[in-house]
Amino acid sequence: MVERCHERDTLISIFPQMALWSPDTPCSCDCFVSVPPASAIPAVIFAKNSDRPRDEVQEVVFVPAGTHTPGSRLQCTYIEVEQVSKTHAVILSRPSWLWGAEMGANEHGVCIGNEAVWTKEPVGEGEALLGMDLLRLALERSSSAQEALHVITGLLEHYGQGGSCREDTTPFCYHNTFLLADRTEAWVLETAGRLWAAQRIQEGARNISNQLSIGTDISAEHSELRTHAKAQGWWGGQGTFDFAQVFSLTQQPVRMEAAKARFRAGQELLQQQQGGITAEVMMGILRNKESGICMDSGGFRTTASMVSILPRDPIQPCIHFLTATPDPSRSVFKPFIFGVGVAQALQVLSPTFGAQDPVRTMPRFQTQVDRRHTLYRGHQEALRLMERDQDQGQQLRQKQQDLEQEALEAVRGLLAGEWAPPPQELGGLFQAFVERESQAYA
């Protein structure tokens, strides 16, 4: 999916930020959302594949709600920001070397996924907030998708975005797009430096795939978005303002053309299921290899996946399915529900290295450490078995499918009112399925 761009030298002369790209650089993710009536049930359905360097480990981290001393500072991946007095509980799927997250949810049913994007605005190597930091900060500080949008844009204005987004001595920098969802609606937020545009999604299905996709249907925007575009000569100042058209690179590299194909494929897969989109449908889309949505190419692959059910009825719990392992076509989506008794599942928590972590020592990323968590190690062995022994591999894949089907049936019963476990059992649901998956690999 990632190919060499024959016009690379020419493009670099026009857009110097492209010098930070390489043919093996991860630059693909896919986010999806379904808002009733596109959903089969009265719920918003959110989904994301995180495509990253193929050996990068993603851990699933639970962070409880907290209160903080006024004026205190918060260390993110590279920089400190001012902490707020109160933060919400969050569940995060994140590359284990950084502070932020690729995707996640909070206790109020807000879900966010982010993606890399390159525009006419230059991308620098200076350290600021990563898009993944912005994502986590928004989850910790918002109780709705719209509030999360305001958190991100406010932080973007104050601190900017920047810094290398992979654990490597060669910098890899980009700007970000976000898909934000809650129980009632979704928002697409697309950025170019500190500038941004947002689109509100109140019904239907929507996806994003590493490119600007907001055209003329802009619901909110940075106050200087159009004046900046006009000053740069990208827009004449009269007539229709198409954000994607105005801010997208004039000459697209091959890898971004591939993202367009993936974006169209995602649209078609959603369109085929309009009115019948469920969590299972979203899982199927995330597992679609033919379209490239389930990525496994060269130096990167889908390293983790997430699907969330956000019921319109506030009495019903939101359910978040996370894999914590790469390749959703050979992984188990396991359900997480906020509530009493929720604790960190240790099997999906990577080891820590304190002050000796390569991301903390200067210059950064000069050494490598083993960040694999217990479930990741077991899953690696399972993938090797699937590739080495067809019969045993099929048996193991069947165990994965049976476990996931059990989880889906439990969730259907919960939402239908047919299963009413004690709160403690719900809070331990993710832990229970993680343990059973680990046992299957053992």
Side-chain angles (χ1 to χ4, degrees):
M1 188 59 66
V2 175
E3 303 174 42
R4 292 189 180 274
C5 180
H6 298 300
E7 306 91 5
R8 177 176 171 80
D9 292 339
T10 302
L11 288 168
I12 288 174
S13 69
I14 302 171
F15 305 109
Q17 66 265 33
M18 288 184 60
L20 302 178
W21 297 350
S22 75
D24 294 322
T25 293
C27 54
S28 65
C29 284
D30 297 277
C31 291
F32 304 86
V33 71
S34 173
V35 181
S39 307
I41 60 174
V44 173
I45 314 292
F46 169 91
K48 181 185 174 180
N49 267 355
S50 172
D51 300 336
R52 300 280 302 170
R54 66 178 307 108
D55 294 326
E56 184 180 78
V57 178
Q58 279 203 35
E59 59 183 353
V60 173
V61 180
F62 169 70
V63 183
T67 55
H68 310 281
T69 305
S72 61
R73 305 288 291 176
L74 172 66
Q75 178 65 53
C76 299
T77 302
Y78 296 127
I79 69 168
E80 287 186 351
V81 300
E82 187 175 345
Q83 180 61 288
V84 294
S85 61
K86 186 175 182 180
T87 52
H88 307 305
V90 297
I91 187 74
L92 307 169
S93 183
R94 72 177 189 188
S96 54
W97 62 271
L98 51 77
W99 181 84
E102 274 278 294
M103 51 201 170
N106 71 17
E107 60 185 304
H108 299 289
V110 179
C111 295
I112 311 177
N114 84 305
E115 305 200 4
V117 69
W118 294 268
T119 71
K120 292 176 182 175
E121 281 295 294
V123 177
E125 296 181 36
E127 293 184 348
L129 288 174
L130 296 179
M132 293 170 278
D133 293 337
L134 290 166
L135 186 154
R136 176 174 173 178
L137 288 164
L139 288 174
E140 290 186 343
R141 299 177 179 198
S142 63
S143 56
S144 71
Q146 187 171 24
E147 186 179 6
L149 183 147
H150 294 318
V151 169
I152 292 174
T153 55
L155 290 166
L156 192 61
E157 178 72 23
H158 190 72
Y159 297 101
Q161 57 181 322
S164 184
C165 299
R166 68 173 175 180
E167 191 179 13
D168 195 276
T169 54
T170 303
F172 170 50
C173 307
Y174 52 76
H175 292 159
N176 292 267
T177 64
F178 302 87
L179 184 60
L180 311 93
D182 60 26
R183 291 177 182 267
T184 62
E185 64 181 10
W187 286 80
V188 174
L189 170 62
E190 299 183 339
T191 73
R194 293 176 188 254
L195 304 174
W196 56 272
Q199 181 184 50
R200 192 177 195 175
I201 313 297
Q202 293 182 293
E203 62 177 25
R206 182 72 154 83
N207 62 310
I208 58 174
S209 297
N210 298 108
Q211 59 187 308
L212 299 181
S213 61
I214 298 174
T216 60
D217 186 9
I218 300 173
S219 306
E221 65 186 71
H222 190 284
S223 60
E224 299 176 8
L225 183 69
R226 303 188 191 211
T227 55
H228 179 78
K230 184 178 178 182
Q232 294 296 317
W234 301 336
W235 179 57
Q238 299 294 324
T240 301
F241 180 82
D242 185 310
F243 175 68
Q245 187 177 73
V246 170
F247 277 85
S248 292
L249 290 167
T250 306
Q251 293 178 274
Q252 298 278 3
V254 173
R255 64 179 63 84
M256 292 188 75
E257 291 296 333
K260 287 184 180 180
R262 230 175 48 250
F263 176 69
R264 289 192 295 268
Q267 283 182 314
E268 292 171 5
L269 290 167
L270 289 173
Q271 186 61 39
Q272 291 168 8
Q273 300 288 342
Q274 282 281 349
I277 297 175
T278 62
E280 297 95 314
V281 167
M282 287 296 198
M283 291 174 189
I285 291 174
L286 297 185
R287 286 170 166 148
N288 189 292
K289 287 185 177 290
E290 183 179 3
S291 64
I293 291 170
C294 182
M295 175 63 61
D296 190 352
S297 176
F300 68 107
R301 64 176 171 178
T302 300
T303 55
S305 304
M306 172 179 169
V307 173
S308 294
I309 304 172
L310 313 175
R312 286 278 171 86
D313 184 352
I315 301 301
Q316 293 185 323
C318 295
I319 300 105
H320 311 284
F321 293 89
L322 303 111
T323 61
T325 54
D327 188 355
S329 71
R330 297 184 292 177
S331 287
V332 180
F333 283 92
K334 300 166 284 293
F336 175 93
I337 299 175
F338 287 95
V340 178
V342 173
Q344 175 66 50
L346 297 179
Q347 298 95 326
V348 293
L349 189 65
S350 292
T352 57
F353 301 92
Q356 301 307 308
D357 195 301
V359 73
R360 291 279 163 250
T361 56
M362 302 298 287
R364 303 189 198 275
F365 309 129
Q366 300 301 302
T367 59
Q368 293 184 333
V369 292
D370 188 351
R371 300 187 187 277
R372 293 176 298 167
H373 50 69
T374 303
L375 184 65
Y376 187 97
R377 291 174 180 271
H379 185 260
Q380 277 190 312
E381 291 300 322
L383 293 187
R384 293 191 189 101
L385 179 61
M386 290 178 186
E387 293 163 0
R388 184 177 65 244
D389 188 311
Q390 184 175 0
D391 290 338
Q392 289 190 43
Q394 287 179 346
Q395 293 175 17
L396 188 53
R397 181 63 189 128
Q398 188 61 53
K399 287 183 179 180
Q400 288 182 323
Q401 292 171 340
D402 291 345
L403 185 60
E404 183 176 286
Q405 190 58 39
E406 184 180 337
L408 287 166
E409 289 175 0
V411 167
R412 278 193 289 268
L414 179 66
L415 295 177
E418 299 167 356
W419 179 51
Q424 195 79 20
E425 185 176 342
L426 277 184
L429 199 60
F430 183 73
Q431 173 71 57
F433 276 93
V434 167
E435 290 177 355
R436 292 179 59 187
E437 183 181 0
S438 296
Q439 291 168 3
Y441 300 151

